[in-house]
Amino acid sequence: MILTVTLNTALDITYRVGALRPHTSHRVSEVTERPGGKGLNVARVLAALGHEVTVTGFTGGATGRVVQELLTATPGVVDALVPVTGPTRRTVAVVGQQTGDTTQLNEPGPVVEPAEWSAFQEAYEDLLPSAAAVALCGSLPPGVPVGAYAGLVRTARAAGVPVLLDTGGEPLRRGVAARPDIIKPNADELAELTGSHEPLRATQDARRRGAHAVVTSLGPAGLLAASPEGRWRATPPSRIHGNPTGAGDSAVAGLLSGLVEHLPWPDRLARAVALSAATVRAPVAGEFDHATYEELRGRVAVTGDVNAA
C-alpha cells in the first residue's frame, strides 16, 4: 500500500456561484463537501488510479467526524487518522461559474498537544512496514514541531520506505536536510527555500541541500524535474481553465504512483501533468476529470533539454 500523511486535515467545502464579485451577496447554486488536506487529496487520486492507500494524520471534533464518514465512502482508502481534541479545520472554495476563477479560504488547524503528537509518531512507525512509499503533505497544525517532517523523513528512510515531501517554508527547509527521495515544491516555495527565482538553478540547489530528486510545479506551464537520472520539463498541450484546488496534489499522486510502479521519469512526469490538468477541469476541488486525464496523458510534452525551455 501507499501511505499518505496529512497532519492538517480539512473538510473541503466548494461553493459554486454564477459570478464572484466583491462586496455583494451571492446565490450559491451548488455545495459539495470532501475530505481534504493535501495528503487526503493525494490518496483519493491514488485510489482512483487503482492503488491501495492508507491515510494518517489528525482528526478531531464534529468536522473530523464528517471527514471520516466521507472517507468510508472512498473505495481503496483506509482510514488510520489519529484523534485529537481540537476540531479539524474547514477550507472553503468559492468558484465563479462564468470564469472558473476560485477564491480560497483556509481555516487554521487544531492545536496538537505533545501527547497527541507522540501518539501519531507511534502510529506512523507502525504503518511504515506495510508501505511501498509514503507522502508527507501540507502545512503543520499548531503545536506540531516545525521540524516534524524532517523527523518523519528520517523514520521512513530508516525503515527503507521511499518518501516524498510536499510542503513549504521552514518545514520544507528542515525536511530537505533529512534527504527525502523527492520534494515537490511550487515555484514560490522553491524560491523561498533556495533564494533563487530561476527554477532550473533552484532545483539544482535544492538537490545540493539534500533532496534526492526535485519536481517543481510551474503552474499552468507544467513541471520541472531534476534527479540523478537526468533533468526534464513536462508541459501540458494547452492551458486548462477551471478550479486549481488540488491540482498539485494530483501531480504528487502521479509521481508517487509512478515511483511504486517503477516507471521511468518521463512517464511519471507525463502522468503527473495530465492528472494535474484533469483536476483543474474537474467540477469539485480535489478530484480529477477522468475523460480529460485519458485525453491528455499521451499529449504531454516531456523534454530532457530543459536548458532550452
Side-chain angles (χ1 to χ4, degrees), residues 58 119 127 166-167 191 234:
F58 295 115
L127 289 166
D166 181 16
T167 189

Side-chain angles (χ1 to χ4, degrees), residues 3 39 66 72 77 99 112 116 119 122 127-128 138 151 160 168 170 195 212 221 223 256 266 307 309:
L3 177 64
V66 173
T72 62
V77 176
T99 64
V112 176
E116 294 169 336
E122 291 179 8
L127 289 166
L128 281 175
E170 186 65 12
H212 187 72
L223 297 173
L256 209 57
N307 287 302

Side-chain angles (χ1 to χ4, degrees), residues 7 9 18 25 27 33 39 58 70 87 92 97 100 173 181 186 190 197 201 216 229 245 283 301:
L7 297 178
T9 55
S25 297
R27 186 175 297 277
E33 294 182 340
F58 295 115
L70 292 171
V92 178
Q97 293 175 300
R173 188 184 71 80
D181 295 88
N186 61 36
L190 187 64
H197 290 272
R201 181 179 303 156
T216 307
E229 292 81 17
T245 304

